[in-house]
Amino acid sequence: METFNIIYPSPLLAPYIRYYWLLKVDTISEISETSIPVGCINLIFHRASRMFSETSNELQPQSFVGGLSTGFTELTSTGNVDMIVVVFQPFGARAFFSLPMSEFFNNCISVHDIGDIALKELEKQIQDNRDSLSSIELIEKHFIKQLHAFDDYNYKRIVAAIEAVNNQPQIEITSLSDVACLSYKQFSRIFTEYVGAKPKEFTRIIRFQRALYILQTNPKISLTQLAFECGYYDQPHLIKEFRIFAGCTPTEFIAACNPYSDYFSTL
């Protein structure tokens, strides 16, 4: 049996946390899934068996922060699945962690290796509490407390830059620095610290997510038109990026599953 739910955060946390998703699967059969880049940092709690990464040939940590990635990951279950995942806004995780978000880039770092005593205590509370709603309450209480210490001096600059990326498929990085009212060098450094990837890497991920969203809402669109609307140079460029981010061409992706953007579908 499988249950999947999305829960939205309280208004105080909504600027920083996009949503929580919860997945429970009771099965003796192995489950396989391909994880593709979304553009958001995640905090994952495995309350049952951990997932095995075929890509890195290792088990995921019991609880960890997953940074932005520029490639796909093949995952398989190792038993029953019971997960709670905190999906941060693209710029939101920086409010809760002392480390620059670039430390998590293309990486999964265990809660025990981050050096946050309060976060380790939260992990223990989540593991001891099997009620999903009260677990979300514990997570919210933890992050609201953490929020009080957040210095948001550059927060609005990064929010404005992300909104520009969302609204303008072909925007240049130099234009983003202008939006943020920063020099190109300052913008690149601060953006990477807050978001967890360099501006160029982030815009590539969002371009890919935009392609998924257009395929989701307009499945009959041609690949040539799709490439144009998403800001790719041409159709071969679109196909190349799909191979990097999803491990297959757009045509193969559509044949295997219904396209869905975890980024644009929840804006």
Side-chain angles (χ1 to χ4, degrees):
M1 186 179 77
E2 176 178 328
T3 58
F4 176 81
N5 292 295
I6 289 179
I7 298 176
Y8 292 95
S10 60
L12 184 60
L13 290 174
Y16 310 97
I17 296 175
R18 179 165 288 200
Y19 55 84
Y20 312 99
W21 61 259
L22 303 91
L23 175 65
K24 288 187 178 182
V25 184
D26 297 323
T27 179
I28 58 174
S29 302
E30 184 179 87
I31 301 170
S32 297
E33 182 175 337
T34 300
S35 175
I36 60 178
V38 172
C40 301
I41 290 175
N42 296 329
L43 171 60
I44 294 94
F45 298 97
H46 286 299
R47 300 196 296 176
S49 299
R50 294 179 283 170
M51 302 292 284
F52 182 80
S53 170
E54 302 286 351
T55 306
S56 60
N57 196 34
E58 62 183 356
L59 281 170
Q60 290 184 332
Q62 197 72 45
S63 302
F64 65 94
V65 175
L68 266 63
S69 63
T70 51
F72 64 94
T73 303
E74 300 288 356
L75 298 171
T76 56
S77 62
T78 60
N80 290 339
V81 176
D82 186 353
M83 300 172 64
I84 295 180
V85 179
V86 182
V87 181
F88 296 100
Q89 299 285 8
F91 41 76
R94 187 67 182 91
F96 308 112
F97 298 96
S98 58
L99 293 173
M101 296 300 98
S102 55
E103 294 290 323
F104 302 105
F105 182 62
N106 277 331
N107 202 5
C108 295
I109 300 182
S110 169
V111 162
H112 290 267
D113 294 332
I114 293 175
D116 186 330
I117 296 174
L119 187 59
K120 287 195 288 186
E121 177 59 29
L122 174 64
E123 178 197 32
K124 184 178 184 302
Q125 292 175 335
I126 297 298
Q127 296 295 339
D128 293 341
N129 187 343
R130 293 299 169 178
D131 180 74
S132 295
L133 290 181
S134 60
S135 292
I136 297 298
E137 290 175 1
L138 289 170
I139 293 170
E140 291 245 316
K141 182 179 178 180
H142 168 82
F143 283 127
I144 288 172
K145 184 177 181 180
Q146 296 288 101
L147 193 58
H148 295 315
F150 176 54
D151 180 3
D152 65 352
Y153 177 75
N154 287 307
Y155 172 74
K156 291 183 179 179
R157 300 177 188 269
I158 302 304
V159 170
I162 296 293
E163 288 178 349
V165 173
N166 293 344
N167 295 327
Q168 302 177 51
Q170 299 183 12
I171 193 166
E172 299 291 335
I173 305 302
T174 51
S175 298
L176 289 178
S177 61
D178 291 340
V179 168
C181 300
L182 293 166
S183 70
Y184 180 87
K185 187 175 181 179
Q186 285 179 313
F187 172 71
S188 182
R189 176 180 59 80
I190 294 170
F191 186 95
T192 305
E193 176 187 335
Y194 270 69
V195 178
K198 294 178 180 179
K200 184 177 180 180
E201 293 162 337
F202 179 77
T203 54
R204 283 180 61 212
I205 296 170
I206 302 310
R207 188 182 298 124
F208 168 69
Q209 282 290 323
R210 190 186 305 277
L212 292 180
Y213 183 69
I214 292 175
L215 286 171
Q216 172 188 338
T217 54
N218 184 12
K220 294 184 179 180
I221 190 171
S222 70
L223 293 186
T224 301
Q225 183 64 25
L226 178 66
F228 173 77
E229 291 191 16
C230 295
Y232 290 102
Y233 301 126
D234 49 28
Q235 184 176 325
H237 184 208
L238 166 71
I239 294 172
K240 179 182 177 181
E241 291 289 272
F242 257 77
R243 288 189 184 278
I244 293 171
F245 289 136
C248 59
T249 67
T251 302
E252 291 168 341
F253 190 94
I254 295 168
C257 60
N258 293 323
Y260 181 83
S261 169
D262 287 296
Y263 186 88
F264 284 102
S265 297
T266 54
L267 285 179

